[in-house]
Amino acid sequence: MSSLASRFAGGRDYLAACTVGLPSRATVRAVRADLDAAASGRPDVAAASRAVEDARAAYARLVRSPVGDVAIAAQTSVMVSLIATSLPDGAEVLCPEGDFASLVAPFAHAGRGIRLRTVPLDDLADAVRAETALVAFSLVQSATGEVADAAGIVAAAARVGARTLCDLTQAAGWHPVDATLFDATVCHAYKWLCCPRGVGFLTVRPDFARSLRPVQAGWYSGDDPWASCYGTGGTLAPDARRFDVSPAWQAFVGAAPAIEIFADADITEVYAHTTGLAARFREGLRLPQPARPSAIVTWPDADGEALRRLSARGITASGRAGRARVAFHVFNDDGDVDRALRALGTTAVPAAWPVALSYSI
């Protein structure tokens, strides 16, 4: 894990990868070189376009998806809106209670009689019914760090012919992911994948893609974007690229080397490292271990006292939905656990705390 940590200049006392990831050294170099070239009057659009495709290919490897099933985007809600727009009038969408707004709100405001139903995350699989058209959920919950029983949810959806949409934003980068298990996935890469903000990905199975209307089509949705700049844009790309939106070039310049770091890494090693640190932290606070290990730890902190204690010691954490939240990534180590627990007035268990390496998606 030290080789991965060395890719980052910082990370000590930074326990907020679930809020925003830290740029890698390679990302900083790439963005600075791109800005320097542009500032000197030599912007390299061709290189930026190559970075887009490099990022797409690396992301496809990371989530085990055919690259032709990957579209690029800038925001999660935009990708979700594409799917919401294509649902039949009156369709039922099932989501977990308290899931992230970018996943839920597009369905809540879709109109056309689309019905949004929410249940607790643990009840999601059991709540799928014959009239459910789509089950949309985050693999890892932003507010609580809970990891969904993805296999159970997918199986329940398959029994009634419902589609599945999984948000990988809080999972990709530390949790093993197989995007092909779902009809569609979305991911904003500025958190655990440590990309500049404005880089997102949609994966969609070809059979599901045929039911989606490319309502956001633009020049970059064309089979040849540079020949699709005017008029109706010409022929759309034959694969998921027809759902592409015009890329934020400088963001993708920084994203390509960042995603390659995680695509090349041993994700089982990353999973063991991050969830192991989280398990030690939970034990130090006498918090119960979750049914499915998570790199995110949250606990009630309605008055913000825990966050104030962490901040007073120079530790960066976050708070969501009345809970304190810390996250452990590749640039964190046992020292981060120890310092955070001391800030909270407790002590850590020995560093050899055993962690189950099993996971399921």
Side-chain angles (χ1 to χ4, degrees):
M1 193 54 57
S2 60
S3 62
L4 283 177
S6 69
R7 304 290 192 93
F8 297 85
R12 176 172 175 169
D13 293 336
Y14 186 79
L15 305 182
C18 55
T19 301
V20 58
L22 299 180
S24 69
R25 297 177 190 273
T27 291
V28 173
R29 287 195 300 268
V31 172
R32 282 178 175 166
D34 183 72
L35 287 173
D36 286 343
S40 65
R42 298 187 303 276
D44 194 341
V45 174
S49 296
R50 288 193 297 272
V52 172
E53 298 313 315
D54 289 345
R56 190 198 310 264
Y59 183 78
R61 284 195 294 120
L62 176 71
V63 301
R64 309 179 200 175
S65 171
V67 70
D69 294 351
V70 180
I72 63 163
Q75 297 90 20
T76 302
S77 59
V78 173
M79 295 182 276
V80 175
S81 295
L82 172 71
I83 294 173
T85 299
S86 299
L87 287 173
D89 292 357
E92 177 183 279
V93 179
L94 178 65
C95 293
E97 292 175 355
D99 212 323
F100 200 74
S102 294
L103 179 70
V104 180
F107 300 114
H109 301 286
R112 300 184 294 107
I114 290 177
R115 295 167 290 127
L116 176 66
R117 185 163 62 96
T118 62
V119 298
L121 178 65
D122 287 344
D123 298 334
L124 197 62
D126 292 337
V128 179
R129 56 192 185 186
E131 55 265 47
T132 303
L134 177 74
V135 185
F137 65 101
S138 294
L139 182 56
V140 178
Q141 292 292 302
S142 172
T144 64
E146 294 172 279
V147 179
D149 176 14
I153 295 166
V154 168
R159 285 194 289 270
V160 301
R163 298 288 191 177
T164 53
L165 167 62
C166 187
D167 187 342
L168 305 177
T169 300
Q170 290 288 5
W174 71 267
H175 195 291
V177 170
D178 184 348
T180 66
L181 297 177
F182 313 101
D183 292 293
T185 71
V186 294
C187 179
H188 202 306
Y190 75 102
K191 295 180 182 287
W192 297 90
L193 292 175
C194 299
C195 294
R197 186 168 169 84
V199 173
F201 299 94
L202 164 74
T203 71
V204 58
R205 287 178 176 171
D207 63 320
F208 189 33
R210 286 191 287 272
S211 72
L212 304 181
R213 293 183 293 117
V215 293
Q216 297 153 187
W219 71 281
Y220 217 81
S221 309
D223 191 23
D224 178 358
W226 294 103
S228 306
C229 295
Y230 303 103
T232 61
T235 303
L236 290 177
D239 54 13
R241 291 181 298 116
R242 66 182 177 273
F243 304 120
D244 281 1
V245 298
S246 180
W249 279 325
Q250 288 173 341
F252 273 91
V253 165
I259 299 174
E260 286 170 356
I261 289 173
F262 294 100
D264 291 340
D266 182 344
I267 193 62
T268 59
E269 181 182 356
V270 174
Y271 176 85
H273 173 76
T274 57
T275 58
L277 294 177
R280 280 193 68 227
F281 183 82
R282 287 191 189 91
E283 181 67 10
L285 285 186
R286 305 299 185 263
L287 298 174
Q289 300 295 333
R292 287 170 290 277
S294 178
I296 301 173
V297 183
T298 71
W299 66 99
D301 187 36
D303 61 0
E305 178 60 24
L307 277 182
R308 283 192 289 272
R309 290 186 178 188
L310 291 168
S311 297
R313 296 290 188 93
I315 297 169
T316 302
S318 56
R320 294 293 185 273
R323 303 177 70 83
R325 186 178 68 163
V326 297
F328 298 93
H329 206 5
V330 297
F331 40 69
N332 297 123
D333 58 22
D334 287 310
D336 291 301
V337 175
D338 296 336
R339 288 186 293 274
L341 289 175
R342 285 197 297 270
L344 295 169
T346 186
T347 57
V349 297
W353 171 256
V355 181
L357 300 184
S358 61
Y359 56 84
S360 64
I361 54 173

